[in-house]
Amino acid sequence: RGLSALQSGLVFSILAFDYLAGSMRAPRLVATFGRNVIVAGALALAAGHVATVLAVTGGGHIAALAPGLLLEGAGMGLCLAPITGVVMAGVGPQHAGAVSGLLSTMQQIGNAAGVALVGLVFFHYAGSGSPRGFAHGFEASTAILAGLLVAVAASARRLPS
């Protein structure tokens, strides 16, 4: 849309500030609602991705991105910030090191595989360099992210309460 680097950064600061706010609220919410906070965060993040795609494909004003970015930021804060505490809450001290290491390893593997998958799909469509190719790549890769986040929400239901 012709934004400068500074303007683009300011647009995405909406996501960053809401991520911070979600992260700050997450401990109190987890104390009350347990793993359901992670479920809600994953679903909010998925909904934010869908809203962002709709805003981009709708061709409206840049302000149309705000609802999606707010949902994405809140979802990240509610999903990512408390995951370690929720997982570790059900682990005895004798297994804490192993479970912590396993969680960290799985997060790293998931991040690497996710970047590879989403990048592969995006560049499959965007490889032509055409604006429509980039748009289709964005839509397809974001749909995959939203689907994976729904799977995360379903999986999070199995975490200790």
Side-chain angles (χ1 to χ4, degrees):
R1 300 203 184 202
L3 298 178
S4 70
L6 177 60
Q7 291 168 323
S8 296
L10 289 173
V11 168
F12 279 92
S13 68
I14 295 169
L15 183 149
F17 287 124
D18 219 31
Y19 183 10
L20 175 65
S23 296
M24 300 286 287
R25 286 190 298 260
R28 286 191 314 270
L29 292 170
V30 167
T32 304
F33 301 107
R35 66 181 177 227
N36 292 325
V37 174
I38 295 168
V39 173
L43 293 175
L45 187 49
H49 286 326
V50 170
T52 301
V53 166
L54 293 174
V56 169
T57 58
H61 190 270
I62 196 77
L65 292 171
L69 294 174
L70 284 168
L71 280 169
E72 288 171 356
M76 280 188 234
L78 295 175
C79 190
L80 298 176
I83 188 77
T84 302
V86 170
V87 169
M88 296 303 294
V91 176
Q94 70 277 20
H95 299 293
V99 172
S100 175
L102 180 62
L103 174 63
S104 179
T105 300
M106 295 312 296
Q107 286 175 322
Q108 295 299 321
I109 290 170
N111 288 337
V115 167
L117 174 66
V118 171
L120 181 71
V121 170
F122 177 81
F123 285 109
H124 170 75
Y125 293 105
S128 67
S130 72
R132 182 63 200 134
F134 277 98
H136 194 62
F138 175 68
E139 292 163 5
S141 59
T142 305
I144 288 171
L145 286 172
L148 289 171
L149 285 160
V150 171
V152 166
S155 298
R157 298 286 300 148
R158 297 180 52 101
L159 290 171
S161 51

